[in-house]
Amino acid sequence: MKSTQTASLRQMSKGMTLLYIEDDSLARDAANSLFSEFFDDVIVGFDGEDGARLYATHHEHIDLVITDITMPRMNGIEMIEKMRAINPEVAIIVISAHNEAHYLTQTIEAGVDGYLLKPLGVTQMVKTLGKVLEKLHLRHENMKNALLLKQYENITNTSSIISKTDPKGVITFVNDKFCQISGFTKEELLGRSHNIIRHPDMPKTAFRDLWKTIKDEKKTWQGIVKNRAKNGDTYYVKTTVQPILNPDGHVDEYISLRHDITAIMSDKKQLFDFLEANRLSVLILVQIEDYTILEKFYDKANVEKIEDAFGKNMLYLMPNRWGFQRVYHLGNGLYAFAIDRRNCRASKEEIHAVLEQFLANVKEYIVKIDAIEYDISVICSFTYGIYKIFEDAKIGIENAIQKKQSIVYADGLSGIEYDNALKNIETIHMIKTAIDNRKIISYFQPIVNNTTQKIEKYESLVRLVTEDEQLLTPFYFLETAKKGRYYTKITKIVLENSFAALAKIPEASISINLSMHDIERGEITDYIDNLLLQYEDEAHRIIFELLESEDIKDLLMIKQFIKKVKMKGVKIAIDDFGTGYSNFERLLSYEPDILKIDGSLIKNIQNNQVNQNIVETMILFAKKQNLTTVAEFVENEAIYEIVRDMGIDYSQGYYFGKPELF
């Protein structure tokens, strides 16, 4: 063993705690002596039950577990499951004897990070430990970076006027928008505190609350702050201050984000205060239509005059049956009427009728400002309730713009279910149109024999062609199709396309994806029976790729279907082997002919030793079961050579060909 490797390992394991479990006392003493050279603290367990107890007690301090498999009272697999239940991310290395190969598939399922073979050698130990510890260090760095990134994202997505300070409140960064609104240059701001823009009207108690929240409680603070620009102008900002914590929980810096609400501070605040005080209210929003065009035709001063003039006349234009007292001007051509629901008990149909009259009145109204005459056109949304009433009405305005409607009843539109439903409706329409126009098509990707490099199989892959001729993969439509009646139609089309393609490739097989839920649908299995009867002489060239699912309702039905089609010559492949819900015992009960090793294990196999180890174990497993193996995601020559040399039988990926039409 090279001294540099040993030194590197000692450096990586510095400060780490190892839990080592071995029931053989001689082996335990020898290995413990070796492990103690590298780890500051080694906790020793005598069997599986002892190891599980020790981990439950000390798991917060344990960085790595090294364990035997065959032990009394509780074997290593059971112990690992208990540890994973406490911490799914704990790093585990298994020490195994050559005669314990039958445990390999179970350890793969358990997600172990490495293997050591008995008798334990220093060279292999250093090599395996080095890779696992390197993985632990990378995981720690990723967690640290993700923590910081998440905190930054949460705050930066809130607003656009940004500053940063050190823990003492000294400004270390401002963006351009901060300089624009405050009137100060970056040079004038950096190294100063935010007192430079503090307005004298802001009470000291407000800032005491701010610092208590972000410094002592280490929580996010939000509020409205009144500031003073360099030229003395007052401006209001909705402010969010976030303490940025390091992994030790200490504040490294503070980030403040602000949104300028000066133009709408008065009316919008008063509207929100009214809605808060009157939890059951009628809210009507009115938006000047094509407001962006108005801004392009006139300068800012004249746009404001037009808005002000219209706002002052809106109460006269509104049939004021319920006694609206004022109009709230919210900026950018948006206005609001609000009234207590007790003073307006009208139905939505009655409110809609009043708004129709309001729109008619507006249509006849002309804004006259100096030499400007402007015909106002507006759209409206209205709602009443107690939950997110303003958000509902605002979304109603957006929908009115998109759908070119003049009035929208907006109650409940802010709910996430509405958004999802709208997207689903659009996707369902796209699917229906594609089915009606025969635009559900099949592409075929070659699968190559790794020995001969000849194409012997093709995988059938569904595609959807949109009305504007875009080609979509299943990611964009299949999950939505599963929620409706069109999924079965898509599956039938794919089956029909795939069987028909047999005539175009007389020497090759066609592989077709089927989910377990497809098989549970009698309509699909009946259709498959008819196709197999129609293509009886070619059935031996059909492969059904099964994707395992954790919520199978009728396992017996699945097995009966597989048995029936295999009797007709069809082969069965297990797709995405090595990921997802794979249950080895259940998969073997399907009597597959082919295992397709998931692309997530293959695409990084050049630089990922753990992936190599897992794939090698899968190949060993497949060969013992006399199963053919296929590597997915073979994207280049280097990956191909690796999987070929490892003994995988077939390759599928862009290196040999993209999915194409026949």
Side-chain angles (χ1 to χ4, degrees), residues 440-442 444 460 492-502:
I440 301 294
I441 61 177
S442 294
F444 297 87
S460 176
K492 286 183 176 181
I493 293 171
V494 170
L495 287 164
E496 182 182 353
N497 292 344
S498 303
F499 275 81
L502 290 169

Side-chain angles (χ1 to χ4, degrees), residues 389-402:
I389 183 172
F390 181 80
E391 289 83 352
D392 283 348
K394 191 69 169 63
I395 293 175
I397 289 292
E398 294 169 1
N399 287 350
I401 294 172
Q402 293 173 1

Side-chain angles (χ1 to χ4, degrees), residues 111-123:
V112 301
D113 299 88
Y115 299 88
L116 292 170
L117 293 176
K118 294 181 179 180
L120 187 61
V122 175
T123 301

Side-chain angles (χ1 to χ4, degrees), residues 67-217:
T67 181
D68 192 8
I69 291 294
T70 306
M71 294 183 292
R73 295 206 292 172
M74 180 188 296
N75 67 38
I77 300 298
E78 295 171 322
M79 183 194 69
I80 289 171
E81 289 176 353
K82 290 185 177 295
M83 292 177 177
R84 289 283 192 223
I86 297 172
N87 178 11
E89 301 297 327
V90 61
I92 299 175
I93 295 175
V94 166
I95 302 179
S96 174
H98 288 285
N99 60 0
E100 295 175 335
H102 58 285
Y103 282 114
L104 285 176
T105 54
Q106 291 178 276
T107 59
I108 291 173
E109 286 187 275
V112 301
D113 299 88
Y115 299 88
L116 292 170
L117 293 176
K118 294 181 179 180
L120 187 61
V122 175
T123 301
Q124 67 150 329
M125 186 205 70
V126 170
K127 183 178 179 181
T128 301
L129 276 179
K131 291 176 180 177
V132 174
L133 293 181
E134 183 178 357
K135 178 181 176 181
L136 282 175
H137 280 282
L138 288 173
R139 182 184 299 170
H140 176 74
E141 286 299 314
N142 288 339
M143 289 176 62
K144 177 182 176 182
N145 292 336
L147 175 64
L148 291 174
L149 180 60
K150 186 63 177 178
Q151 293 177 84
Y152 276 104
E153 286 178 343
N154 287 342
I155 189 68
T156 53
N157 289 334
T158 306
S159 189
S160 58
I161 302 169
I162 307 170
S163 67
K164 294 200 299 184
T165 71
D166 64 17
K168 296 181 179 180
V170 175
I171 298 174
T172 58
F173 170 83
V174 292
N175 68 346
D176 291 338
K177 288 187 177 296
F178 190 105
C179 296
Q180 291 169 8
I181 195 169
S182 70
F184 290 98
T185 66
K186 290 184 179 180
E187 290 74 17
E188 291 173 318
L189 293 166
L190 296 180
R192 303 283 298 274
S193 73
H194 281 96
N195 286 337
I196 191 173
I197 56 170
R198 178 179 172 180
H199 196 284
D201 291 349
M202 283 295 294
K204 294 182 179 180
T205 54
F207 295 103
R208 281 200 294 267
D209 174 66
L210 185 156
W211 280 105
K212 180 177 182 294
T213 302
I214 64 175
K215 184 178 180 180
D216 300 335
E217 299 176 357

Side-chain angles (χ1 to χ4, degrees), residues 3-21:
S3 59
T4 54
Q5 291 177 309
T6 305
S8 176
L9 184 59
R10 286 198 178 100
Q11 182 64 30
M12 284 193 293
S13 60
K14 186 177 181 181
M16 288 189 172
T17 298
L18 167 69
L19 173 58
Y20 169 52
I21 306 101

